[in-house]
Amino acid sequence: EGLADLGQSRAYVNIHAARWLGSRHVTSPVLPLAEALELRDHVLAARAQGWKAFREACVALLQHPAFPPARRRSPGEAEEVVDSAHRRASEQR
């Protein structure tokens, strides 16, 4: 019991980035806990680096193979989702 039980735990990442995406959140599929924590660190580091790095991390996340096929985006679809959210957020400022 305790920390040993975390090995089988699963989680998802949900990051808010109002500055670039307005009210949209970046959400991962459910992943093994260690992978979710690594992904969280990666997306937060990208967010700290600026829009270009954060955009790349979001586009990659929307293509994650753990998403069911119906939710997984192609590269072009992922770029459109992220860029569209960014445009809407920019218009509301």
Side-chain angles (χ1 to χ4, degrees), residues 46-58:
R47 186 176 70 176
Q49 291 172 24
W51 168 244
K52 183 179 177 185
F54 185 69
R55 179 187 182 275
E56 290 174 8
C58 291

Side-chain angles (χ1 to χ4, degrees), residues 38-92:
E38 287 177 21
L39 181 61
R40 178 185 177 275
D41 288 346
H42 173 73
V43 175
L44 288 175
R47 186 176 70 176
Q49 291 172 24
W51 168 244
K52 183 179 177 185
F54 185 69
R55 179 187 182 275
E56 290 174 8
C58 291
V59 168
L61 178 58
L62 290 173
Q63 299 172 72
H64 197 287
F67 274 124
R71 289 206 52 215
R72 190 177 320 132
R73 305 288 185 220
S74 69
E77 290 171 334
E79 289 175 350
E80 179 55 34
V81 167
V82 174
D83 292 343
S84 177
H86 184 252
R87 273 194 304 278
R88 281 193 305 275
S90 296
E91 291 167 359
Q92 293 175 355

